[in-house]
Amino acid sequence: MSDLPFTLDQLRILKAIAAEGSFKRAADSLYVSQPAVSLQVQNLERQLAVPLFDRGGRRAQLTEAGHLLLDYGDKILALCQETCRAIEDLQNLQGGTLVIGASQTTGTYLMPRLIGLFRQAYPDVAVQLHVHSTRRTCWSIVNGQVDLAIIGGEVPLELQESLERTAYAEDELALILPESHPLAESSVIQREDLYKLSFITLDAQSTIRKVIDQILTRGNIDPRLLKIEMELNSIEAIKNAVQSGLGAAFVSTSAIEKELELGSLKRVKIENVAIKRILSLIINPNRYRSKAAEIFISEILPKFSTLSSDLKRIANSSDDAELVTSATN
């Protein structure tokens, strides 16, 4: 086959249709006309001699051949982006893009500080922050869509051989109460007091919720006996609910610095129980890493690191760091 039967534009169109679910929305997202999108798909199907979409339903559904082409197309487009960024590096950080991933808590409270420091030093480099679940973030690194990430959860088992994980910082999860709560005046409460509280939590599948349950169990506290008043989908919503007197909650200490300073929330400790986890730096050692990513790792991340990781040599490190939880008995 002397010529490729598809173009990069056609792969971008295929990806957009799959993501948007219709030719019209794909055309809108690419800022082209719907007839132009339809024509490109028809040409692509004719060149490949296979149908790529099942046009029988209201939503554009990929055929088996369409899914196969989309999978390879994603890899091709990712390599194209990687190539462009490698060339941009030749300009010595006078441009380019750094893409960072993070799970919810780190993405909301830690990464903006780090990105701010990076932008002050390298204002010509554009920075994108993608905040998603740990699983989705890890897949994005494997696929080359994200350069590096800070996560608090476990790397999916099927990706552990593909990613390099290094312990970065310790994150303590604090018990917070409304300032008007009777126990708010106590600096330390007993384990039995937890059973008297109404809790506001993230959903049962969230990483932080699982860590908390594990630690409480190790501290001889049965999380199944805790009264869950409500489940919310964000840390900010949980903090607001606690401030409104709706219950107690466990949240990262990094998320409540301002509230503790203003006195709108009260933090209390549980006797002989500490709830901690390790935040980890995740990279893909098998993909090209831009100068911007290397500088972010070696110059910016150490400013907030609380562990002894040698971030300046992370690219050559093969050490694995596991999620760490601790309880003192």
Side-chain angles (χ1 to χ4, degrees):
M1 186 180 295
S2 58
D3 297 319
L4 288 174
F6 53 77
T7 66
L8 293 180
D9 280 340
Q10 288 172 333
L11 294 181
R12 290 176 60 243
I13 288 172
L14 179 72
K15 183 175 181 178
I17 297 172
E20 299 293 340
S22 79
F23 282 47
K24 182 180 185 308
R25 287 196 295 271
D28 292 340
S29 70
L30 296 172
Y31 301 100
V32 297
S33 67
Q34 182 176 344
V37 166
S38 298
L39 180 60
Q40 287 283 15
V41 171
Q42 291 171 9
N43 290 339
L44 182 57
E45 290 179 322
R46 184 173 61 254
Q47 290 161 338
L48 293 172
V50 292
L52 299 175
F53 290 95
D54 181 358
R55 294 171 172 80
R58 297 181 59 184
R59 181 179 174 88
Q61 297 285 349
L62 288 169
T63 62
E64 184 177 1
H67 280 292
L68 182 65
L69 181 59
L70 179 63
D71 288 342
Y72 279 98
D74 281 340
K75 297 175 183 177
I76 292 169
L77 293 173
L79 281 173
C80 289
Q81 293 171 348
E82 191 173 299
T83 302
C84 292
R85 290 165 61 189
I87 293 174
E88 288 173 349
D89 270 351
L90 297 178
Q91 301 175 15
N92 196 27
L93 293 182
Q94 299 301 309
T97 302
L98 173 64
V99 185
I100 302 171
S103 47
Q104 186 183 71
T105 302
T106 56
T108 303
Y109 304 103
L110 174 63
M111 298 312 299
R113 303 180 189 179
L114 296 172
I115 291 171
L117 292 174
F118 181 83
R119 290 281 294 152
Q120 289 176 14
Y122 303 97
D124 295 326
V125 179
V127 180
Q128 297 177 11
L129 175 61
H130 296 185
V131 180
H132 296 295
S133 67
T134 294
R135 170 173 287 275
R136 182 172 174 182
T137 298
C138 288
W139 272 109
S140 295
I141 296 177
V142 168
N143 294 331
Q145 299 164 323
V146 170
D147 294 311
L148 60 99
I150 300 294
I151 63 170
E154 297 187 60
V155 174
L157 184 62
E158 67 271 24
L159 301 182
Q160 289 181 2
E161 293 185 0
S162 301
L163 297 176
E164 183 176 331
R165 178 177 186 172
T166 300
Y168 171 63
E170 189 176 71
D171 181 33
E172 185 172 3
L173 301 170
L175 174 64
I176 57 173
L177 296 169
E179 58 178 341
S180 59
H181 195 280
L183 291 177
E185 298 303 320
S186 305
S187 58
V188 179
I189 65 173
Q190 303 301 309
R191 305 178 190 202
E192 294 74 19
D193 291 327
L194 293 176
Y195 300 119
K196 304 173 186 177
L197 298 173
S198 296
F199 279 92
I200 303 164
T201 71
L202 293 170
D203 69 83
Q205 299 305 312
S206 71
T207 299
I208 296 178
R209 174 83 173 270
K210 292 177 180 178
V211 169
I212 293 170
D213 287 351
Q214 291 170 3
I215 295 303
L216 293 178
T217 300
R218 294 178 187 178
N220 297 320
I221 299 166
D222 190 345
R224 296 170 300 178
L225 299 181
L226 299 181
K227 180 182 178 183
I228 306 301
E229 190 70 25
M230 63 180 70
E231 294 183 347
L232 301 177
N233 63 0
S234 75
I235 301 298
E236 286 299 307
I238 288 176
K239 291 194 301 182
N240 290 333
V242 174
Q243 289 183 51
S244 299
L246 299 179
F250 288 103
V251 298
S252 169
T253 54
S254 65
I256 55 173
E257 293 177 358
K258 183 182 299 183
E259 289 79 8
L260 292 179
E261 183 179 341
L262 295 174
S264 58
L265 288 173
K266 295 294 183 179
R267 176 188 178 183
V268 296
K269 295 186 177 181
I270 309 167
E271 186 175 20
N272 296 326
V273 177
I275 303 177
K276 300 178 181 179
R277 62 174 180 164
I278 295 299
L279 303 180
S280 300
L281 168 66
I282 305 296
I283 61 171
N284 185 342
N286 300 314
R287 280 193 174 271
Y288 170 80
R289 193 153 43 255
S290 67
K291 287 184 180 178
E294 294 288 1
I295 287 175
F296 190 87
I297 292 171
S298 63
E299 295 184 12
I300 306 301
L301 286 183
K303 296 181 184 297
F304 284 85
S305 176
T306 59
L307 299 175
S308 57
S309 299
D310 188 356
L311 295 172
K312 292 186 178 181
R313 299 176 60 190
I314 186 62
N316 298 319
S317 173
S318 60
D319 295 335
D320 295 323
E322 298 181 356
L323 174 69
V324 175
T325 56
S326 65
T328 56
N329 296 310

